[in-house]
C-alpha cells in the first residue's frame, strides 16, 4: 500500500513534468513547423508533441527510472517495475493546437497496480494546474475544487467528443450527442479529453462521456474527477476498462440518468434516420 507521503512525491514529479511540458507548448504557440497524420484523417502529431513528450520522459527517467511509461507518441516503455505505469499525453488537443485554437493541455497520470492514483493536468493557455492524488482531494492552482451539484439532466451542461474513426463506423457518438443535446441545456465539444475532465471536476460542466479514448487521455483526469467528488465508470455504470475506450464521468448526481440516456440514444437514432428528418 502506498502512503500519502509516497503519493505526494509522485504528485510533485507529475507536476514538474506537466508544467515543464506546458512551458514548451506555450513557448511554441503559433510556431508549429511539422504536422503529420498518424494513420487516420485528423489524428495529428506535431514537432511540439514530440518535444514536450521528450521533456516529460526526461523528468520521469530522472526521478523514477524503474517505472513503466505509456506515452502517446512513444508507446509503452517497459522497465523493471510495471506495477507503476505512467500514462502521459504531452499535448492533448493537438488538432486544436495545430490550428492555433488555444484549447489543449498536458496530462500526466500514474496507475499503481492498474488503478489511477495520481493525476496532473496543466492548461498553459489559462495557466491552470489541476492536481490530485488518491485520498488527498483535488486542486486548481493549489486551491480545493469540487464537482457541481446539478441533479437533473434538464438543468445540466455536458461535454463529449468524437473519435478519429467516426467516419468508419456507425458507433460514432453522433446519436448520443444529438440525443443529449435535446435532453440538456447543451453539449459542448472542446477537442481535449483532459480539459473536459477537469471542467467536470471543478464544476464548470456536469458530465462527460466519450468513446475511442486511450489511457493517456484520461488516467490523470479520472483521479482529479474522483478526488473532486465525482464518479467515473464505463457507460453502463460498471468499473471502467481503460482498454475498452469508453468513459462516463459526472458529478455523481447525474450519473445514473446520464448512463440511462446513453442506452436510450440508440433508439432515438431510429427516429433520427427517418426520411422526414433526413431531408431537412
Amino acid at each position: 500500500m502506498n502512503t500519502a507521503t509516497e503519493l505526494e512525491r509522485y504528485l510533485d514529479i507529475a507536476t514538474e513534468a506537466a508544467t515543464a511540458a506546458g512551458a514548451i507548448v506555450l513557448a511554441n504557440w503559433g510556431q508549429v513547423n511539422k504536422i503529420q497524420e498518424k494513420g487516420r484523417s485528423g489524428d495529428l502529431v506535431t514537432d511540439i508533441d514530440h518535444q514536450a513528450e521528450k521533456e516529460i520522459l526526461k523528468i520521469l527517467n530522472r526521478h523514477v527510472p524503474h517505472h513503466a511509461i505509456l506515452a502517446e507518441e512513444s508507446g509503452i516503455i517497459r522497465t523493471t517495475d510495471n506495477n507503476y505505469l505512467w500514462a502521459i499525453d504531452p499535448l492533448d488537443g493537438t488538432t486544436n493546437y495545430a490550428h492555433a485554437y488555444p484549447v489543449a493541455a498536458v496530462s500526466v497520470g500514474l496507475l499503481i497496480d492498474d488503478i489511477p492514483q495520481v493525476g496532473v493536468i496543466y492548461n498553459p493557455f489559462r495557466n491552470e494546474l489541476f492536481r490530485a492524488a488518491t485520498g488527498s482531494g483535488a486542486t486548481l492552482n493549489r486551491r480545493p475544487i469540487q464537482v457541481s451539484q446539478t441533479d437533473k439532466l434538464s438543468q445540466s451542461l455536458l461535454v463529449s467528443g468524437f473519435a478519429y474513426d467516426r467516419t468508419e463506423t456507425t458507433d460514432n457518438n453522433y446519436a448520443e450527442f444529438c440525443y443529449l443535446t435535446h435532453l440538456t441545456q447543451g453539449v459542448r465539444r472542446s477537442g481535449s479529453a483532459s480539459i473536459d475532465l477537469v471542467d467536470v471536476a471543478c464544476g464548470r460542466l456536469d458530465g462527460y462521456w466519450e468513446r475511442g479514448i486511450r489511457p493517456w487521455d484520461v488516467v490523470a483526469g479520472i483521479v482529479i474527477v474522483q478526488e473532486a467528488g465525482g464518479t467515473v465508470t464505463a457507460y453502463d455504470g460498471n468499473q471502467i476498462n481503460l482498454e475498452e475506450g469508453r468513459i462516463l464521468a459526472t458529478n455523481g448526481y447525474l450519473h445514473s440518468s446520464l448512463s440511462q440516456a446513453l442506452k436510450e440514444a440508440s433508439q432515438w437514432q431510429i427516429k433520427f434516420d427517418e426520411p422526414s428528418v433526413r431531408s431537412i
Side-chain angles (χ1 to χ4, degrees):
M1 181 178 295
N2 294 86
T3 67
T5 300
E6 289 173 319
L7 290 179
E8 188 66 29
R9 173 174 173 257
Y10 297 141
L11 184 59
D12 287 341
I13 293 169
T15 301
E16 180 184 349
T19 53
I24 292 172
V25 169
L26 192 61
N28 289 279
W29 173 245
Q31 302 176 49
V32 177
N33 295 315
K34 188 176 181 181
I35 303 173
Q36 295 178 306
E37 287 191 344
K38 294 192 289 184
R40 284 193 170 101
S41 177
D43 188 3
L44 305 182
V45 61
T46 72
D47 51 327
I48 311 308
D49 292 74
H50 289 294
Q51 289 181 37
E53 183 167 293
K54 183 177 179 180
E55 183 67 18
I56 293 172
L57 294 178
K58 181 178 73 174
I59 291 169
L60 293 182
N61 288 333
R62 182 170 72 246
H63 290 292
V64 284
H66 302 301
H67 289 186
I69 300 170
L70 175 61
E72 179 173 12
E73 309 309 335
S74 302
I76 186 71
I77 301 172
R78 296 193 178 279
T79 52
T80 55
D81 192 348
N82 290 308
N83 293 325
Y84 295 82
L85 176 64
W86 293 84
I88 64 173
D89 191 337
L91 179 48
D92 184 23
T94 298
T95 301
N96 290 341
Y97 190 81
H99 287 270
Y101 183 68
V103 180
V106 180
S107 179
V108 180
L110 173 64
L111 297 115
I112 303 176
D113 296 326
D114 297 322
I115 299 172
Q117 300 268 22
V118 171
V120 173
I121 293 174
Y122 179 51
N123 179 346
F125 300 102
R126 300 184 66 167
N127 192 29
E128 291 186 338
L129 178 67
F130 293 86
R131 298 174 7 120
T134 299
S136 299
T139 63
L140 164 54
N141 292 343
R142 311 286 176 153
R143 295 183 178 181
I145 56 173
Q146 61 183 25
V147 294
S148 70
Q149 297 184 355
T150 304
D151 60 2
K152 293 181 176 62
L153 276 179
S154 61
Q155 298 174 358
S156 70
L157 183 63
L158 308 179
V159 67
S160 189
F162 302 97
Y164 295 114
D165 66 352
R166 59 188 177 274
T167 63
E168 304 166 14
T169 176
T170 56
D171 179 21
N172 51 26
N173 198 35
Y174 292 173
E176 291 88 343
F177 191 94
C178 292
Y179 184 57
L180 267 300
T181 297
H182 280 251
L183 294 183
T184 66
Q185 293 185 348
V187 180
R188 302 293 180 253
R189 184 199 181 192
S190 76
S192 170
S194 299
I195 288 178
D196 294 342
L197 285 163
V198 295
D199 280 349
V200 171
C202 68
R204 293 169 182 162
L205 297 167
D206 306 303
Y208 158 70
W209 83 93
E210 191 167 356
R211 61 166 292 279
I213 54 91
R214 301 299 302 274
W216 53 72
D217 296 317
V218 297
V219 166
I222 287 171
V223 184
I224 295 168
V225 170
Q226 290 176 333
E227 287 298 310
T231 302
V232 182
T233 68
Y235 277 18
D236 61 6
N238 290 323
Q239 182 175 344
I240 189 170
N241 181 341
L242 291 174
E243 296 304 316
E244 186 179 63
R246 294 176 189 264
I247 185 172
L248 173 61
T250 75
N251 59 9
Y253 300 98
L254 292 174
H255 209 79
S256 61
S257 56
L258 184 50
S259 177
Q260 180 60 34
L262 291 172
K263 295 177 185 177
E264 295 168 355
S266 61
Q267 298 301 312
W268 191 82
Q269 177 70 35
I270 296 173
K271 180 179 179 181
F272 185 73
D273 282 341
E274 291 176 357
S276 60
V277 177
R278 255 200 334 261
S279 62
I280 295 175

